[in-house]
Amino acid sequence: MKHNNVGPIFSVANQKGGVGKTTTSINLAASLAALDKRVLVLDLDPQCNTTSGLGVDKDSVALGMYDLLSGGSTLDDVIMETDFEGLHLVPSTMDLSGAEVELVNLQSREHVLHHLFESYQGEPFDYVIIDCPPALNMLTVNALAASDKVIVTLQTEFYAMEGLSQLMDTIRRVRANFNEDLEVEGIVLTMVDRRNNLSVQVEKDVREYFGAQVYESVIPRNVRLSEAPSYGVPVMYHDLRSKGAQAYLQMAQELTQREAFVA
């Protein structure tokens, strides 16, 4: 699926909460920007954590994701620059939870976001990253219908594989009904603690089952990663030498290599 002025669109998805979706959206985007890419992040989660994690006060947002989806604004209207070079944001506000209800009554409601990308006339972006809500709802379906690829964040814990099969089923359904080109770009393991036997076993199982789809780079449990959102900065701006910052830089390099290989 090719869009005007927009490079590949990635949805970061998992219907479980607390598995590193927002952390990955923010820090992968910042790491791609650090590699001299022009990156746009869409905060599609009504909790607004990506917005605040990039230093934007959600109460100060004049136009955001809700205005975009409700038809009042275009992408050009709602994109804002962040304090981080190369990194742009479509912020979220609490109103976004209302968009879910309003979308239900629209014709071709699953394609609202897709059409907004199609009509985008602004400056090109090398990558677009959509932080999906932790639910398989109309917002997530919109993101998947507009995306080229899905990045799945997977916490190395006991029920990880169970949730993953539900998500893969949703991706298959979206592919069948709304976006036949949608691919799973990769699975990234988050909150990995290799001193923990269960964490090691889950990683082994996921790699055996999904093979090359699983990123070589893994995201460790890391204090600096947990601290960074409270400062409103990606982790590399909080502590570049931390394991968390280095892991996301490695993941960004791996992603650009994968994309170059596909191209």
Side-chain angles (χ1 to χ4, degrees), residues 9 24 68 80 86 89 102 106 140 151 199 202 224 235 240 246 255:
I9 300 172
T24 295
L68 190 62
M80 61 182 291
L89 172 69
E102 293 171 30
L106 292 179
T140 300
I151 293 172
S199 191
V202 171
R224 293 287 185 259
V235 68
L240 180 58
Q246 292 301 313
L255 184 143

PDB file of all heavy atoms in Angstrom, residues 9 24 68 80 86 89 102 106 140 151 199 202 224 235 240 246 255:
ATOM      1  N   ILE A   9       4.038   2.763   6.888  1.00  0.00           N
ATOM      2  CA  ILE A   9       3.256   3.047   8.092  1.00  0.00           C
ATOM      3  C   ILE A   9       3.235   1.787   8.949  1.00  0.00           C
ATOM      4  O   ILE A   9       2.825   0.719   8.479  1.00  0.00           O
ATOM      5  CB  ILE A   9       1.817   3.460   7.731  1.00  0.00           C
ATOM      6  CG1 ILE A   9       1.827   4.725   6.854  1.00  0.00           C
ATOM      7  CG2 ILE A   9       0.984   3.701   8.991  1.00  0.00           C
ATOM      8  CD1 ILE A   9       0.469   5.106   6.297  1.00  0.00           C
ATOM      9  N   THR A  24       7.724   1.493  23.074  1.00  0.00           N
ATOM     10  CA  THR A  24       8.320   1.158  21.777  1.00  0.00           C
ATOM     11  C   THR A  24       8.002   2.225  20.736  1.00  0.00           C
ATOM     12  O   THR A  24       8.881   2.637  19.973  1.00  0.00           O
ATOM     13  CB  THR A  24       7.830  -0.235  21.323  1.00  0.00           C
ATOM     14  OG1 THR A  24       8.332  -1.204  22.256  1.00  0.00           O
ATOM     15  CG2 THR A  24       8.328  -0.577  19.927  1.00  0.00           C
ATOM     16  N   LEU A  68      -8.997  14.722  13.946  1.00  0.00           N
ATOM     17  CA  LEU A  68      -8.657  14.064  12.683  1.00  0.00           C
ATOM     18  C   LEU A  68      -9.704  13.013  12.327  1.00  0.00           C
ATOM     19  O   LEU A  68     -10.243  12.995  11.220  1.00  0.00           O
ATOM     20  CB  LEU A  68      -7.279  13.412  12.846  1.00  0.00           C
ATOM     21  CG  LEU A  68      -6.594  12.867  11.605  1.00  0.00           C
ATOM     22  CD1 LEU A  68      -6.328  13.976  10.600  1.00  0.00           C
ATOM     23  CD2 LEU A  68      -5.286  12.192  11.991  1.00  0.00           C
ATOM     24  N   MET A  80       2.174  18.169  14.737  1.00  0.00           N
ATOM     25  CA  MET A  80       2.956  19.175  15.454  1.00  0.00           C
ATOM     26  C   MET A  80       4.409  18.725  15.567  1.00  0.00           C
ATOM     27  O   MET A  80       4.704  17.522  15.548  1.00  0.00           O
ATOM     28  CB  MET A  80       2.368  19.441  16.834  1.00  0.00           C
ATOM     29  CG  MET A  80       2.329  18.244  17.752  1.00  0.00           C
ATOM     30  SD  MET A  80       1.545  18.631  19.354  1.00  0.00           S
ATOM     31  CE  MET A  80       2.771  19.705  20.081  1.00  0.00           C
ATOM     32  N   GLY A  86      13.527  15.960  13.956  1.00  0.00           N
ATOM     33  CA  GLY A  86      13.078  14.937  13.017  1.00  0.00           C
ATOM     34  C   GLY A  86      11.836  14.186  13.455  1.00  0.00           C
ATOM     35  O   GLY A  86      11.300  13.357  12.723  1.00  0.00           O
ATOM     36  N   LEU A  89       4.492  14.689  15.726  1.00  0.00           N
ATOM     37  CA  LEU A  89       3.463  13.995  16.500  1.00  0.00           C
ATOM     38  C   LEU A  89       2.064  14.452  16.095  1.00  0.00           C
ATOM     39  O   LEU A  89       1.836  15.638  15.879  1.00  0.00           O
ATOM     40  CB  LEU A  89       3.680  14.307  17.997  1.00  0.00           C
ATOM     41  CG  LEU A  89       2.618  13.838  18.997  1.00  0.00           C
ATOM     42  CD1 LEU A  89       2.602  12.322  19.129  1.00  0.00           C
ATOM     43  CD2 LEU A  89       2.866  14.484  20.373  1.00  0.00           C
ATOM     44  N   GLU A 102     -18.309   7.427  17.671  1.00  0.00           N
ATOM     45  CA  GLU A 102     -18.719   8.167  16.478  1.00  0.00           C
ATOM     46  C   GLU A 102     -18.356   7.439  15.191  1.00  0.00           C
ATOM     47  O   GLU A 102     -19.085   7.504  14.201  1.00  0.00           O
ATOM     48  CB  GLU A 102     -18.089   9.568  16.502  1.00  0.00           C
ATOM     49  CG  GLU A 102     -18.659  10.418  17.631  1.00  0.00           C
ATOM     50  CD  GLU A 102     -17.916  11.730  17.825  1.00  0.00           C
ATOM     51  OE1 GLU A 102     -17.390  12.257  16.829  1.00  0.00           O
ATOM     52  OE2 GLU A 102     -17.863  12.215  18.956  1.00  0.00           O
ATOM     53  N   LEU A 106     -20.222   5.821  10.825  1.00  0.00           N
ATOM     54  CA  LEU A 106     -19.729   6.311   9.536  1.00  0.00           C
ATOM     55  C   LEU A 106     -19.705   5.214   8.481  1.00  0.00           C
ATOM     56  O   LEU A 106     -19.486   4.051   8.788  1.00  0.00           O
ATOM     57  CB  LEU A 106     -18.301   6.853   9.687  1.00  0.00           C
ATOM     58  CG  LEU A 106     -18.100   8.119  10.505  1.00  0.00           C
ATOM     59  CD1 LEU A 106     -16.634   8.474  10.549  1.00  0.00           C
ATOM     60  CD2 LEU A 106     -18.897   9.277   9.912  1.00  0.00           C
ATOM     61  N   THR A 140      -8.115   0.548  16.640  1.00  0.00           N
ATOM     62  CA  THR A 140      -7.046  -0.366  16.216  1.00  0.00           C
ATOM     63  C   THR A 140      -7.290  -0.857  14.797  1.00  0.00           C
ATOM     64  O   THR A 140      -6.355  -0.931  13.982  1.00  0.00           O
ATOM     65  CB  THR A 140      -6.957  -1.564  17.185  1.00  0.00           C
ATOM     66  OG1 THR A 140      -6.679  -1.057  18.498  1.00  0.00           O
ATOM     67  CG2 THR A 140      -5.848  -2.516  16.793  1.00  0.00           C
ATOM     68  N   ILE A 151       4.056  -3.977  13.999  1.00  0.00           N
ATOM     69  CA  ILE A 151       5.107  -4.391  14.927  1.00  0.00           C
ATOM     70  C   ILE A 151       4.392  -4.830  16.202  1.00  0.00           C
ATOM     71  O   ILE A 151       3.619  -4.065  16.787  1.00  0.00           O
ATOM     72  CB  ILE A 151       6.077  -3.239  15.231  1.00  0.00           C
ATOM     73  CG1 ILE A 151       6.875  -2.880  13.971  1.00  0.00           C
ATOM     74  CG2 ILE A 151       7.033  -3.611  16.374  1.00  0.00           C
ATOM     75  CD1 ILE A 151       7.716  -1.626  14.105  1.00  0.00           C
ATOM     76  N   SER A 199      11.432 -15.849  31.553  1.00  0.00           N
ATOM     77  CA  SER A 199      11.707 -14.894  30.487  1.00  0.00           C
ATOM     78  C   SER A 199      12.549 -15.553  29.382  1.00  0.00           C
ATOM     79  O   SER A 199      12.261 -15.428  28.186  1.00  0.00           O
ATOM     80  CB  SER A 199      12.436 -13.680  31.075  1.00  0.00           C
ATOM     81  OG  SER A 199      12.514 -12.629  30.165  1.00  0.00           O
ATOM     82  N   VAL A 202      10.338 -18.185  27.487  1.00  0.00           N
ATOM     83  CA  VAL A 202       9.367 -17.562  26.577  1.00  0.00           C
ATOM     84  C   VAL A 202      10.082 -17.058  25.326  1.00  0.00           C
ATOM     85  O   VAL A 202       9.624 -17.262  24.200  1.00  0.00           O
ATOM     86  CB  VAL A 202       8.589 -16.412  27.270  1.00  0.00           C
ATOM     87  CG1 VAL A 202       7.749 -15.638  26.255  1.00  0.00           C
ATOM     88  CG2 VAL A 202       7.694 -16.960  28.374  1.00  0.00           C
ATOM     89  N   ARG A 224      16.018   3.213  33.464  1.00  0.00           N
ATOM     90  CA  ARG A 224      16.006   4.467  32.690  1.00  0.00           C
ATOM     91  C   ARG A 224      14.805   4.528  31.732  1.00  0.00           C
ATOM     92  O   ARG A 224      14.221   5.584  31.513  1.00  0.00           O
ATOM     93  CB  ARG A 224      17.312   4.620  31.905  1.00  0.00           C
ATOM     94  CG  ARG A 224      18.528   4.826  32.791  1.00  0.00           C
ATOM     95  CD  ARG A 224      18.535   6.227  33.388  1.00  0.00           C
ATOM     96  NE  ARG A 224      19.735   6.505  34.137  1.00  0.00           N
ATOM     97  CZ  ARG A 224      19.817   6.470  35.458  1.00  0.00           C
ATOM     98  NH1 ARG A 224      18.766   6.130  36.183  1.00  0.00           N
ATOM     99  NH2 ARG A 224      20.940   6.771  36.069  1.00  0.00           N
ATOM    100  N   VAL A 235      13.994   7.840  25.871  1.00  0.00           N
ATOM    101  CA  VAL A 235      15.051   7.417  26.798  1.00  0.00           C
ATOM    102  C   VAL A 235      16.442   7.882  26.355  1.00  0.00           C
ATOM    103  O   VAL A 235      17.302   8.186  27.182  1.00  0.00           O
ATOM    104  CB  VAL A 235      15.004   5.887  27.042  1.00  0.00           C
ATOM    105  CG1 VAL A 235      15.391   5.110  25.788  1.00  0.00           C
ATOM    106  CG2 VAL A 235      15.887   5.494  28.226  1.00  0.00           C
ATOM    107  N   LEU A 240      21.530   8.308  27.210  1.00  0.00           N
ATOM    108  CA  LEU A 240      21.878   7.662  25.939  1.00  0.00           C
ATOM    109  C   LEU A 240      22.643   6.357  26.142  1.00  0.00           C
ATOM    110  O   LEU A 240      22.530   5.429  25.352  1.00  0.00           O
ATOM    111  CB  LEU A 240      22.702   8.638  25.083  1.00  0.00           C
ATOM    112  CG  LEU A 240      23.155   8.127  23.710  1.00  0.00           C
ATOM    113  CD1 LEU A 240      21.964   7.717  22.847  1.00  0.00           C
ATOM    114  CD2 LEU A 240      23.981   9.185  22.979  1.00  0.00           C
ATOM    115  N   GLN A 246      20.134   2.040  24.154  1.00  0.00           N
ATOM    116  CA  GLN A 246      20.945   1.297  23.185  1.00  0.00           C
ATOM    117  C   GLN A 246      20.120   0.208  22.486  1.00  0.00           C
ATOM    118  O   GLN A 246      20.280  -0.040  21.294  1.00  0.00           O
ATOM    119  CB  GLN A 246      22.176   0.686  23.879  1.00  0.00           C
ATOM    120  CG  GLN A 246      23.190   1.726  24.354  1.00  0.00           C
ATOM    121  CD  GLN A 246      23.721   2.585  23.208  1.00  0.00           C
ATOM    122  OE1 GLN A 246      24.102   2.086  22.154  1.00  0.00           O
ATOM    123  NE2 GLN A 246      23.734   3.896  23.409  1.00  0.00           N
ATOM    124  N   LEU A 255      15.388  -2.393  11.934  1.00  0.00           N
ATOM    125  CA  LEU A 255      14.216  -2.111  11.119  1.00  0.00           C
ATOM    126  C   LEU A 255      14.605  -1.486   9.769  1.00  0.00           C
ATOM    127  O   LEU A 255      14.094  -1.903   8.726  1.00  0.00           O
ATOM    128  CB  LEU A 255      13.264  -1.172  11.873  1.00  0.00           C
ATOM    129  CG  LEU A 255      11.943  -0.860  11.182  1.00  0.00           C
ATOM    130  CD1 LEU A 255      10.809  -0.755  12.203  1.00  0.00           C
ATOM    131  CD2 LEU A 255      11.982   0.420  10.394  1.00  0.00           C
TER     132      LEU A 255
END
